[in-house]
Amino acid sequence: MRAMTIRPILIHPDPRLKKVAAALDDVNDAVRALAGDMFETMYDAPGIGLAAPQVGVLERLIVLDCVKEEDAEPQPIAMINPEIIATSDETSVYEEGCLSIPDQFADVERPAEVTARWLDLDGNLQERDFDGLWATCVQHEIDHLNGKLFIDYLKPLRRQMITRKMQKLKKERTRE
Ligand code: GNR
Ligand code: NI
């Protein structure tokens, strides 16, 4: 097996973060290699989730691990072509962040519980209920596959302020 590589994460605004990603029609070694790189990149960041478009790959693949405690067992999950097939009426509010929008955080309201269906890295269909941070994270990641960022839930003025900060950050980074 090829060594895993940390890939650069795209920073908003970037046209690739606004595109709808394409479904994967095959679960092969290339997809498994990409998932490996995405786990490596997510844990290095560190983050609790990562979607392929964030590393510039416009395909429907996400990885997540919402276990935050240092001493707890990791729970890596890779999802190919994930779908939310049911949502609770009950909602919850989490302060969200995004690796593509560094150091910006805002409250986002979403369904508190969701049922997701996806293909795992062996090509087997999986279905599971998520709640708490896991439910928020899986929705945040699937949004990325549809070109949607958490700031799209904010009021336009707040979103614009964050976008301007990110434009400034990107400019500073290219000057260095
Ligand atoms: O690391 C992340 N933390 C986070 C916190 C609250 C809600 C969602 C997230 S996902 C984010 C990683 C990321 O940007 N995934 O796309
Ligand atoms: Ni994100």
Side-chain angles (χ1 to χ4, degrees):
M1 198 174 79
R2 187 180 120 278
M4 292 185 285
T5 323
I6 295 165
R7 300 197 185 198
I9 297 173
L10 301 182
I11 303 300
H12 166 75
D14 187 299
R16 289 165 288 183
L17 292 172
K18 305 210 77 176
K19 295 217 162 88
V20 176
L24 283 159
D25 52 15
D26 189 28
V27 182
N28 53 32
D29 285 345
V31 173
R32 285 184 279 271
L34 173 59
D37 285 358
M38 285 170 58
F39 277 121
E40 192 84 350
T41 304
M42 177 187 81
Y43 287 125
D44 174 71
I48 58 170
L50 191 70
Q54 292 181 277
V55 294
V57 178
L58 293 176
E59 296 176 338
R60 303 188 80 82
L61 169 63
I62 64 175
V63 297
L64 52 160
D65 185 344
C66 298
V67 177
K68 276 187 167 171
E69 303 78 34
E70 287 269 337
D71 45 343
E73 199 61 32
Q75 278 189 57
I77 303 181
M79 299 183 176
I80 295 156
N81 301 337
E83 287 179 73
I84 302 292
I85 59 167
T87 58
S88 62
D89 291 335
E90 188 202 336
T91 61
S92 65
V93 175
Y94 267 93
E95 188 177 54
E96 298 199 16
C98 182
L99 294 173
S100 295
I101 312 174
D103 303 318
Q104 304 301 315
F105 304 91
D107 284 350
V108 178
E109 183 175 15
R110 301 180 187 268
E113 293 172 30
V114 298
T115 306
R117 186 187 284 164
W118 70 95
L119 288 176
D120 67 18
L121 293 177
D122 298 316
N124 295 318
L125 193 62
Q126 301 282 343
E127 197 175 299
R128 202 201 286 186
D129 296 335
F130 293 95
D131 63 12
L133 186 57
W134 285 89
T136 287
C137 189
V138 73
Q139 292 175 82
H140 174 115
E141 300 314 332
I142 292 174
D143 272 354
H144 275 298
L145 303 182
N146 296 322
K148 188 157 188 173
L149 302 171
F150 81 89
I151 55 171
D152 294 328
Y153 295 96
L154 308 181
K155 294 198 179 90
L157 216 57
R158 178 90 194 276
R159 179 164 68 239
Q160 203 171 69
M161 221 161 70
I162 291 175
T163 298
R164 294 218 174 105
K165 271 187 199 156
M166 293 300 105
Q167 282 166 330
K168 185 159 171 275
L169 175 73
K170 287 177 81 172
K171 238 180 221 155
E172 282 165 1
R173 284 190 181 180
T174 53
R175 267 197 244 111
E176 283 164 9

